[in-house]
């Protein structure tokens, strides 16, 4: 339901969405909360501080309230896969750069630099394709080249892999689905290699993940054939 002018503010809707976040994630995305985090990287960092311990911080016994806040924060972070500055099919590079630099500064201040980069990478996994048809979009490639962060790339890898979701197939078909995905990422790597070499290396490594999965599916299909005799 859209916000009506003069009736309820987006900030008020954001508070309501936060309360009902576990239910919302089963029916629709918490759009107002996502828009709020797009505007304010501090909200993203605050959620991460609720969900993840600082580096070197020991495990603590949590009361029910704190545990509930941590779960809500984790749900919120997991549900956001749209890079800041993406609107009407266009990704604003200046907004994205500024957002990431501010978020990383705050993560460093809270002693969560590594987890922060990982979460930023997960969020960036929802990047659109670029003007050349390759994934990710050019502003995200620039981030990868500029930051050279293994933690961010690990988060990007995990987030992108998880976006695929569950697949169904003929149990005798082998790994053809995975090989199609591998070929697509290898093609993307070839397109971006000249200008974005680190991004190309990331894409080639990602493609190898699907090559391994394809081999595993081939072996499972062979075993199924043998069992059917």
């Amino acid at each position: 339901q859209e916000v009506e002018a003069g009736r309820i503010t987006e900030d008020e809707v954001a508070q309501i969405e936060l309360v009902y976040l576990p239910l919302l994630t089963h029916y629709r995305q918490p759009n107002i909360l996502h828009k709020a985090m797009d505007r304010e990287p501090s909200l993203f960092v605050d959620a991460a501080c609720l969900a993840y311990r600082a580096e070197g911080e020991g495990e603590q016994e949590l009361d029910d309230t704190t545990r509930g806040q941590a779960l809500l924060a984790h749900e919120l972070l997991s549900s956001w896969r749209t890079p800041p500055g993406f609107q009407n099919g266009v990704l604003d590079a200046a907004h994205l750069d500024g957002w990431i630099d501010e978020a990383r500064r705050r993560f460093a201040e809270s002693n969560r630099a590594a987890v922060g980069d990982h979460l930023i990478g997960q969020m960036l996994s929802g990047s659109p394709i670029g003007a050349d048809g390759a994934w990710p979009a050019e502003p995200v490639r620039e981030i990868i080249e500029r930051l050279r962060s293994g933690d961010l790339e690990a988060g990007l890898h995990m987030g992108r892999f998880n976006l695929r979701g569950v697949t169904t197939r003929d149990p005798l078909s082998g790994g053809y689905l995975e090989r199609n995905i591998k070929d697509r990422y290898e093609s993307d790597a070839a397109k971006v290699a000249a200008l974005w070499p680190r991004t190309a290396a990331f894409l080639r490594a990602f493609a190898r993940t699907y090559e391994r999965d394809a081999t595993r599916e081939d072996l499972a299909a062979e075993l199924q054939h043998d069992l059917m005799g």
Side-chain angles (χ1 to χ4, degrees):
Q1 192 172 8
E2 294 184 357
V3 178
E4 295 182 35
R7 294 285 300 278
I8 183 170
T9 68
E10 284 197 345
D11 288 342
E12 289 169 328
V13 174
Q15 290 296 322
I16 295 169
E17 286 190 338
L18 185 59
V19 171
Y20 290 100
L21 188 60
L23 293 175
L24 282 173
T25 51
H26 287 90
Y27 298 101
R28 69 166 179 83
Q29 294 295 305
N31 297 321
I32 301 298
L33 279 170
H34 291 171
K35 287 171 65 177
M37 289 197 297
D38 187 300
R39 293 192 302 268
E40 295 291 342
S42 61
L43 298 178
F44 184 80
V45 177
D46 289 346
C49 289
L50 287 172
Y52 296 92
R53 294 194 301 270
E55 295 168 21
E57 183 180 350
E59 193 167 340
Q60 300 177 7
E61 187 69 29
L62 303 179
D63 58 33
D64 290 344
T65 299
T66 305
R67 188 180 299 107
Q69 289 174 335
L71 290 172
L72 284 172
H74 191 274
E75 289 270 5
L76 178 60
L77 294 167
S78 298
S79 69
W80 194 31
R81 291 290 183 271
T82 304
F86 183 64
Q87 196 168 23
N88 300 322
V90 177
L91 184 53
D92 184 333
H95 181 87
L96 179 64
D97 282 347
W99 191 99
I100 287 178
D101 288 346
E102 177 63 13
R104 295 183 87 231
R105 182 185 70 79
R106 289 176 178 269
F107 274 123
E109 288 177 352
S110 68
N111 202 24
R112 290 174 173 82
V115 73
D117 273 7
H118 197 278
L119 290 170
I120 289 169
Q122 285 187 60
M123 175 267 296
L124 292 176
S125 68
S127 166
I129 63 172
D132 55 3
W135 182 87
E138 290 84 353
V140 177
R141 300 175 205 171
E142 294 291 349
I143 292 293
I144 293 170
E145 303 296 323
R146 176 167 69 89
L147 298 185
R148 306 181 66 82
S149 168
D151 289 313
L152 184 144
E153 289 159 26
L156 184 63
H157 182 124
M158 187 175 80
R160 191 67 178 176
F161 188 83
N162 289 342
L163 279 174
R164 186 185 179 205
V166 178
T167 63
T168 58
R169 73 184 77 210
D170 183 331
L172 303 179
S173 63
Y176 77 97
L177 290 174
E178 288 73 21
R179 284 198 175 80
N180 288 341
I181 297 173
K182 173 193 75 75
D183 291 345
R184 185 168 75 243
Y185 284 117
E186 285 181 343
S187 174
D188 288 347
K191 289 179 182 177
V192 308
L195 296 178
W196 298 279
R198 189 176 179 101
T199 304
F202 167 82
L203 290 168
R204 286 191 290 268
F206 194 44
R208 287 194 294 273
T209 299
Y210 281 99
E211 176 63 35
R212 290 191 293 270
D213 286 351
T215 300
R216 186 186 67 244
E217 293 294 339
D218 287 345
L219 292 172
E222 290 177 13
L223 178 60
Q224 188 70 19
H225 273 292
D226 291 343
L227 291 173
M228 293 174 65

